Amino acid sequence: MADGPVNDAPNRLINDVDFGEGVVVQPFTNLYGCSLGDETRVGPFVEIQRGVKVGARCKIQSHTFICTGVVLEDEVFVGHGTLFINDKFPAATTEAGALKKDADWELAPTVVERRVALGSGAVVLGGVRIGAGALVGAGAVVTRDVAPGEVVAGVPARAGVQP
């Protein structure tokens, strides 16, 4: 693994990141505790959180948020403004009214398989698997698994709708 991205873009927060060879990271990004595979490209205004694994030759467009619990396999395209969610029952406090801590929520992992394309503005809820070669239309909200090679669009995302 490389010890940093190949470019010298300013204004980045990079902490505890495993970089593959030839990774490019644009300015205004937050990367911490994640891994990026060879030749992956990360656009500006992207945040990738702790524990995220990004495969080789992925392209992550600007204004994207990839939270803990997400795995992107090789050659995944993530369109502008895509949002991943890892908590099926979000709340700031417990039933007793105390601020939630890490132990108070359950991580809902997400897997995006090889060569998936996620259209701009897609929202991917936690706990889903998007199969290899699938296409998720722009603005779609993925609430359940997507089969390999399937094209989905809409809110919620479903097959048979033109992206």
Side-chain angles (χ1 to χ4, degrees), residues 14-95:
I14 297 177
N15 184 16
D16 189 28
V17 177
D18 289 329
F19 290 99
E21 296 298 322
V23 171
V24 174
V25 177
Q26 297 301 318
F28 305 108
T29 57
N30 294 325
L31 310 175
Y32 46 95
C34 58
S35 65
L36 304 174
D38 294 345
E39 301 177 41
T40 285
R41 307 240 183 259
V42 178
F45 303 104
V46 169
E47 179 162 335
I48 303 176
Q49 293 187 323
R50 187 165 312 287
V52 170
K53 295 188 185 328
V54 177
R57 296 172 308 285
C58 292
K59 187 169 186 181
I60 301 168
Q61 299 287 72
S62 69
H63 300 89
T64 291
F65 176 74
I66 305 175
C67 57
T68 298
V70 173
V71 172
L72 303 180
E73 294 184 355
D74 295 343
E75 302 174 20
V76 170
F77 175 84
V78 180
H80 299 278
T82 296
L83 173 67
F84 289 85
I85 299 170
N86 62 4
D87 187 351
K88 289 189 177 207
F89 304 100
T93 60
T94 65
E95 290 293 323

Side-chain angles (χ1 to χ4, degrees), residues 128-139:
V128 302
R129 176 176 289 271
I130 302 175
L135 171 63
V136 174

Side-chain angles (χ1 to χ4, degrees), residues 37 75 81 114 118 152:
E75 302 174 20
R114 185 175 184 273
L118 302 172
V152 297

